[in-house]
Amino acid sequence: AQSVTQLDSHVSVSEGTPVLLRCNYSSSYSPSLFWYVQHPNKGLQLLLKYTSAATLVKGINGFEAEFKKSETSFHLTKPSAHMSDAAEYFCVVSDSNFNKFYFGSGTKLNVKP
Amino acid sequence: NAGVTQTPKFQVLKTGQSMTLQCAQDMNHNSMYWYRQDPGMGLRLIYYSASEGTTDKGEVPNGYNVSRLNKREFSLRLESAAPSQTSVYFCASSEEGAQGSYSNQPQHFGDGTRLSIL
């Protein structure tokens, strides 16, 4: 069975410092993995997607994520946080063999001035 | 470039009333989805339509019905609203991938309908 765990419900960083949002998954197959961002009162927007082409995936707004199969992780990082990064972030794992996908419970990122 | 459009944006209902939430996409996507988002629970899939003419239950379908009216439109109906259905509802769409797969395709979301049931 597939599942996805976002290890932190809230993360707080200072502007200009690195961001790390953690995501672990369990999968019996080679999954596709996604990160989405949700700003207040908005829908989710795709940040980046992993589909086995390269383990380090670059997304929009300076975010990137690294797929580590041995650790079953897909953590989201950004070298320097900006105030506009304050939002909620969702990790999603999909299993194309069964056309199923699973959302994590979300991590709220707070960026302090 | 509208993407996914949801109407209405806000609605207040009384218990027992019925209502239909509308969703339309202009990206020629095959697959469409309805989610609800509640605090601390992330997004939960209510129903989805893998392609025009098909609909399937998701994780939390009870109390809801859906209609895939055509390729563009996918509506969600609450026949008899209950306070437990107070939530933010999101519609999304995605392209069809290789061999009819859709779960490995990015989803495009609307801005949501905020529904309160008293």
Side-chain angles (χ1 to χ4, degrees):
Chain A
Q2 304 258 10
S3 69
V4 56
T5 303
Q6 292 185 240
L7 296 159
D8 306 292
S9 59
H10 291 81
V11 170
S12 186
V13 301
S14 296
E15 191 175 21
T17 64
V19 176
L20 170 64
L21 305 182
R22 298 182 294 167
C23 174
N24 284 95
Y25 68 93
S26 66
S27 171
S28 303
Y29 306 97
S30 296
S32 294
L33 295 156
F34 305 81
W35 276 101
Y36 289 86
V37 60
Q38 183 181 30
H39 290 279
N41 300 314
K42 290 292 187 181
L44 279 68
Q45 178 187 11
L46 180 71
L47 271 180
L48 50 81
K49 171 187 174 183
Y50 166 78
T51 55
S52 78
T55 56
L56 184 63
V57 183
K58 293 189 183 297
I60 62 171
N61 301 334
F63 284 93
E64 61 182 37
E66 186 172 7
F67 174 69
K68 292 187 176 180
K69 188 173 182 178
S70 60
E71 299 177 8
T72 60
S73 69
F74 190 57
H75 300 336
L76 183 70
T77 60
K78 183 173 181 177
S80 176
H82 191 272
M83 295 298 292
S84 61
D85 295 328
E88 189 162 17
Y89 293 79
F90 292 92
C91 181
V92 179
V93 60
S94 85
D95 173 8
S96 58
N97 291 289
F98 297 99
N99 262 331
K100 297 289 186 185
F101 50 86
Y102 305 87
F103 277 77
S105 55
T107 298
K108 289 187 177 176
L109 175 65
N110 178 46
V111 182
K112 298 174 289 186
Chain B
N1 222 11
V4 178
T5 303
Q6 292 184 236
T7 55
K9 295 188 185 305
F10 304 92
Q11 186 70 48
V12 179
L13 293 178
K14 294 181 179 178
T15 298
Q17 287 185 315
S18 61
M19 158 155 211
T20 299
L21 280 60
Q22 306 287 353
C23 175
Q25 53 93 5
D26 63 2
M27 295 170 284
N28 202 36
H29 286 168
N30 277 344
S31 303
M32 298 185 74
Y33 313 84
W34 275 106
Y35 297 89
R36 59 178 291 173
Q37 185 176 31
D38 302 291
M41 301 190 73
L43 268 74
R44 292 183 292 170
L45 184 65
I46 305 171
Y47 270 94
Y48 65 101
S49 171
S51 60
E52 186 179 358
T54 69
T55 60
D56 286 286
K57 294 178 180 179
E59 181 185 357
V60 289
N62 291 346
Y64 304 95
N65 285 300
V66 290
S67 296
R68 183 75 183 265
L69 304 168
N70 48 54
K71 193 171 185 178
R72 290 186 65 247
E73 298 172 289
F74 188 38
S75 63
L76 178 72
R77 183 161 178 84
L78 286 70
E79 291 291 351
S80 179
S84 61
Q85 294 177 305
T86 293
S87 188
V88 182
Y89 290 85
F90 288 98
C91 177
S93 69
S94 67
E95 294 179 342
E96 181 176 354
Q99 299 174 332
S101 67
Y102 54 83
S103 66
N104 60 352
Q105 300 301 309
Q107 295 183 26
H108 299 254
F109 287 80
D111 283 340
T113 295
R114 284 147 185 82
L115 183 61
S116 293
I117 300 163
L118 307 177

